[in-house]
């Protein structure tokens, strides 16, 4: 039973365009969400997070949107760069779960020059 | 500031053997979590250690055990290895364990790739 889903295993985007990565969750107790980026042979690197009291958080080229009623969040990367090519993981946690983050299966983003 | 380090990088074991993986947390972090990432999947939470005590556990059998030392470094031990234990094992550190209403970002090491034959 996957509590965090990323239904697109892969995504290809042209350099300079917008990349949109989607994530859905089923557990309504989740109240904190993160995106991690992972390059081959490296551990996941924290990218951006959002608390359930917000619906948007922005950090440079990266924006995360949260739609609590739909249990859906998305990561927007604008403009996309070739260096953004990596696997992106969505993760969720609940305050009562402590640091038990539940990860999605990941989406492989390829930004084409 | 030193990041999270893990050793060894790669390891090959046979079924039934035991393995110990090691992790040094990021400077200033007292909480360590361990994850298992199977091929094509996201990391799955194994357990967390805070101040040398287990502070939460995922859905893994007791043959997965851990330790945290006074310097906050940690070990993951797996007994009676099975073929399905083949995975990337990730260690993550954070400044503190989850508190009510507070969640901290975790910082990951590069992982140990375990292959069980």
């Amino acid at each position: 039973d996957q509590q965090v889903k990323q239904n697109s295993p892969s995504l290809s985007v042209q350099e300079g365009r917008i990349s949109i990565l989607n994530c859905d969750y089923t557990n309504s107790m989740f109240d904190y969400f993160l995106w991690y980026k992972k390059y081959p042979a490296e551990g996941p690197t924290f990218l951006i997070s959002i608390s359930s009291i917000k619906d948007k958080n922005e950090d440079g080229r990266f924006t995360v949107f949260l739609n609590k009623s739909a249990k859906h969040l998305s990561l927007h990367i604008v403009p996309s760069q070739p260096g953004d090519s990596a696997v992106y993981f969505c993760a969720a946690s609940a305050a009562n779960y402590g640091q038990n983050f539940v990860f999605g299966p990941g989406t492989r983003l390829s930004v084409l020059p | 500031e030193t990041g999270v380090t893990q050793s060894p990088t790669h390891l090959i074991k046979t079924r039934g053997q035991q393995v110990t993986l090691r992790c040094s947390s990021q400077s200033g972090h007292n909480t360590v979590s361990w994850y298992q990432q199977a091929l094509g999947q996201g990391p799955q939470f194994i357990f967390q250690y805070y101040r040398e005590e287990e502070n939460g556990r995922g859905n893994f059998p007791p043959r997965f055990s851990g330790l945290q030392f006074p310097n906050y470094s940690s070990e993951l031990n797996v007994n009676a290895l099975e073929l399905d234990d083949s995975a990337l094992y990730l260690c993550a550190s954070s400044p503190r364990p989850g508190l009510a209403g507070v969640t901290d970002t975790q910082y990951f090491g590069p992982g140990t790739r375990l292959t069980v034959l």
Side-chain angles (χ1 to χ4, degrees):
Chain A
D1 177 30
Q2 261 190 340
Q3 297 188 70
V4 178
K5 303 175 186 181
Q6 293 176 258
N7 292 322
S8 298
S10 63
L11 176 69
S12 291
V13 170
Q14 210 67 37
E15 181 179 3
R17 305 295 289 267
I18 183 172
S19 295
I20 300 176
L21 296 97
N22 293 305
C23 176
D24 297 288
Y25 61 96
T26 58
N27 190 336
S28 57
M29 296 297 292
F30 288 146
D31 56 9
Y32 191 73
F33 305 89
L34 306 92
W35 285 93
Y36 280 86
K37 177 171 70 174
K38 188 178 186 302
Y39 294 119
E42 295 183 14
T45 304
F46 169 73
L47 203 54
I48 193 168
S49 64
I50 188 167
S51 163
S52 60
I53 61 174
K54 294 185 172 183
D55 55 17
K56 177 183 173 181
N57 190 26
E58 210 168 339
D59 184 3
R61 298 186 297 115
F62 302 92
T63 303
V64 57
F65 295 92
L66 175 62
N67 182 335
K68 283 183 63 179
S69 60
K71 295 191 180 68
H72 176 84
L73 62 156
S74 60
L75 174 68
H76 293 212
I77 306 174
V78 183
S80 301
Q81 299 173 354
D84 296 329
S85 297
V87 177
Y88 288 78
F89 293 101
C90 168
S93 181
N96 291 337
Y97 291 4
Q99 291 285 336
N100 181 0
F101 288 95
V102 180
F103 282 78
T107 295
R108 180 175 300 278
L109 173 66
S110 299
V111 180
L112 309 172
Chain B
E1 185 180 84
T2 308
V4 179
T5 60
Q6 292 185 244
S7 62
T9 308
H10 296 89
L11 203 50
I12 299 175
K13 292 285 189 177
T14 56
R15 197 169 52 181
Q17 284 189 309
Q18 178 265 343
V19 70
T20 298
L21 310 182
R22 293 177 176 82
C23 170
S24 292
S25 60
Q26 184 165 318
S27 176
H29 289 186
N30 59 20
T31 303
V32 173
S33 302
W34 285 91
Y35 290 82
Q36 180 196 67
Q37 186 182 6
L39 202 60
Q41 298 182 22
Q44 284 195 62
F45 177 72
I46 303 175
F47 44 56
Q48 180 186 84
Y49 276 82
Y50 170 62
R51 290 188 176 176
E52 303 176 54
E53 298 281 337
E54 189 177 288
N55 184 50
R57 188 178 184 93
N59 190 25
F60 281 80
R63 57 190 186 84
F64 285 79
S65 63
L67 281 174
Q68 187 180 33
F69 300 99
N71 66 355
Y72 306 130
S73 65
S74 176
E75 285 182 356
L76 164 65
N77 299 290
V78 187
N79 293 322
L81 284 167
E82 300 177 0
L83 297 179
D84 284 349
D85 295 334
S86 295
L88 180 69
Y89 288 85
L90 294 161
C91 166
S93 73
S94 51
R96 56 189 170 183
L99 304 172
V102 176
T103 306
D104 276 316
T105 302
Q106 295 184 343
Y107 296 86
F108 285 83
T112 293
R113 171 75 59 189
L114 173 64
T115 302
V116 182
L117 303 176

